[in-house]
Amino acid sequence: MAAFVSIRNLRKFYGSFEALKGIDLEIEKGEVVCVVGPSGSGKSTLIRCINRLEPFSDDSEIRVDDIPVMPGRALAKVRAEVGMVFQSFNLFPHLTVRENVMLAPRRVRGTSRAEAARQADRLLARVGIGEQADKYPEHLSGGQQQRVAIARALAMEPQVMLFDEPTSALDPEMVGEVLDVMRDLAGTGVTMVVVTHEMGFASQVADRVIFMDGGEVIETGPPDQVLSNPREPRTQNFLSAVLNH
């Protein structure tokens, strides 16, 4: 069976700087993968390439559900299957919470207003903020705004959810509430790729942890192996610095 997300020889340059150095990676349907590593290691660039928010080298190949991630009609199909949650919440300030969640299904899928509203209310309840539906984003805490962003991504019923450091912009006391939503989501069978510095979350939720450094995958394996008993010196050094911080 082909992997749900297949990455072959992924290379990304910023000018002469090679940010990703020929990464090969396969992610199975329903798998939860956490990507960890130091700042500047290429983690965010990697997941931004999956839905081509970052263009990549012509000799690289990414496929999602066997659809090539290339400019044109195929890319629209891929992006309909891939939801993304960023560090910053990117909510529309002039729309209510409910309207933020309704927007993509109405515009992209042509969902009726009534059906989109029902779906939005269901998803907002699922992420624990159903009572905030009529508020505007500025009246919500950072943790609540990030949960709206997750509901908005889920509204397109994606096959894959990408999370780019979803808790890094939050106050510490709000991190837990977002991670709880992501834990629940991981239990539903959706494929998830999570760039995170939350090692506890990675150890509890991930099927697999990938450690990146210098634009390369240094080590990959089950969380108990990569996080508790890493084989590679670069992984060991990173974890000792992070866990003893």
Side-chain angles (χ1 to χ4, degrees):
M1 189 179 76
F4 195 68
V5 179
S6 174
I7 298 171
R8 293 271 176 275
N9 187 39
L10 179 58
R11 303 177 74 200
K12 167 68 183 177
F13 289 87
Y14 294 102
S16 60
F17 173 67
E18 191 172 13
L20 297 176
K21 301 174 180 175
I23 287 176
D24 294 309
L25 194 59
E26 296 202 329
I27 297 166
E28 301 298 330
K29 192 171 179 65
E31 191 176 16
V32 178
V33 176
C34 284
V35 186
V36 303
S39 295
S41 59
K43 309 183 298 293
S44 293
T45 304
L46 168 66
I47 68 163
R48 289 173 66 88
C49 285
I50 292 175
N51 59 356
R52 212 177 170 95
L53 290 178
E54 293 283 355
F56 43 83
S57 295
D58 290 342
D59 58 350
S60 306
E61 182 187 57
I62 301 178
R63 301 178 84 87
V64 175
D65 199 10
D66 211 31
I67 305 167
V69 179
M70 297 174 66
R73 199 176 272 176
L75 186 56
K77 277 182 84 172
V78 168
R79 286 182 173 163
E81 293 207 18
V82 179
M84 186 148 186
V85 178
F86 300 89
Q87 296 179 34
S88 53
F89 321 123
N90 298 333
L91 301 176
F92 291 105
H94 64 289
L95 299 178
T96 66
V97 164
R98 181 187 290 110
E99 289 165 343
N100 266 280
V101 178
M102 290 169 60
L103 189 63
R106 294 208 66 211
R107 284 210 176 154
V108 178
R109 293 249 162 97
T111 307
S112 73
R113 183 173 185 83
E115 177 54 32
R118 276 195 296 274
Q119 181 194 38
D121 287 347
R122 187 174 72 248
L123 289 169
L124 290 168
R126 181 173 166 187
V127 300
I129 49 170
E131 73 286 355
Q132 311 291 345
D134 294 316
K135 292 184 179 176
Y136 288 89
E138 66 181 3
H139 298 125
L140 272 56
S141 70
Q144 289 172 327
Q145 289 189 54
Q146 191 61 295
R147 286 189 276 166
V148 175
I150 293 171
R152 181 182 58 185
L154 291 173
M156 288 296 287
E157 299 177 340
Q159 299 290 309
V160 186
M161 284 285 285
L162 308 177
F163 294 87
D164 185 7
E165 302 259 17
T167 60
S168 65
L170 299 178
D171 293 332
E173 65 269 21
M174 295 173 188
V175 169
E177 64 187 58
V178 173
L179 293 180
D180 285 345
V181 169
M182 293 170 62
R183 269 191 201 91
D184 290 344
L185 189 60
T188 66
V190 67
T191 309
M192 291 171 60
V193 186
V194 184
V195 172
T196 186
H197 55 268
E198 301 287 344
M199 297 300 152
F201 174 82
S203 67
Q204 293 164 11
V205 176
D207 298 305
R208 182 161 42 128
V209 172
I210 293 168
F211 172 70
M212 288 184 67
D213 193 15
E216 300 176 291
V217 171
I218 305 301
E219 190 161 354
T220 179
D224 54 352
Q225 183 250 299
V226 175
L227 299 178
S228 304
N229 192 24
R231 300 190 181 110
E232 299 294 328
R234 278 154 85 182
T235 319
Q236 293 165 7
N237 291 342
F238 169 74
L239 288 170
S240 68
V242 167
L243 299 175
N244 295 328
H245 180 61

